[in-house]
Amino acid sequence: MKIAVDKNAPIPAYKQVVDGIATAIDRGDVRSGSRLPSVRNLALELGLNVNTVARAYRDLERAGVIDTMPGMGTFVAEPGPARDSAPAGAWPRPAVVQPSGDWRRFLAAALELARSEG
């Protein structure tokens, strides 16, 4: 996943990260269930402060675009009402999204990832 952040642009860096991730998901570069880089790794890769990337991830999580599982990572959320009702590229939506609570899906994904990495 490639995200470009222009530090001289009038758009805040966290918003550029949000837009970059949402665009990658819209284009199909990142599929539902895919693991995203950690906040720390993405901040290092983009040359941003960790808090900037953390804010972008929080906004995406509130919009139902990603799900964060403590100790497991951050994953692209499955399509649902919050994502399906928004036009492409319109994430994050300002509406409050109720968490799905589908921890079994994340546990299965974590087990699969652990098995594949040996």
Side-chain angles (χ1 to χ4, degrees):
M1 174 176 65
K2 297 285 183 184
I3 299 173
V5 176
D6 181 0
K7 295 178 184 175
N8 297 320
I11 300 169
Y14 84 92
K15 179 69 171 129
Q16 292 180 53
V17 174
V18 168
D19 292 344
I21 293 173
T23 299
I25 295 169
D26 281 343
R27 282 193 315 240
D29 296 345
V30 184
R31 297 179 310 176
S32 295
S34 297
R35 188 175 187 177
L36 295 176
S38 70
V39 169
R40 199 172 301 258
N41 286 343
L42 187 57
L44 184 63
E45 180 182 322
L46 297 175
L48 297 173
N49 187 293
V50 174
N51 294 326
T52 302
V53 176
R55 180 174 179 183
Y57 273 28
R58 273 193 313 272
D59 286 357
L60 288 164
E61 189 166 20
R62 276 191 217 120
V65 177
I66 64 173
D67 292 312
T68 301
M69 298 297 294
M72 293 175 59
T74 303
F75 301 87
V76 176
E78 295 294 325
R83 283 184 49 193
D84 293 342
S85 62
W91 300 333
R93 292 171 28 110
V96 175
V97 178
Q98 296 296 324
S100 66
D102 191 2
W103 58 271
R104 288 178 184 92
R105 177 174 47 92
F106 291 109
L107 183 58
L111 288 171
E112 184 178 332
L113 180 64
R115 288 183 187 131
S116 69
E117 291 183 355

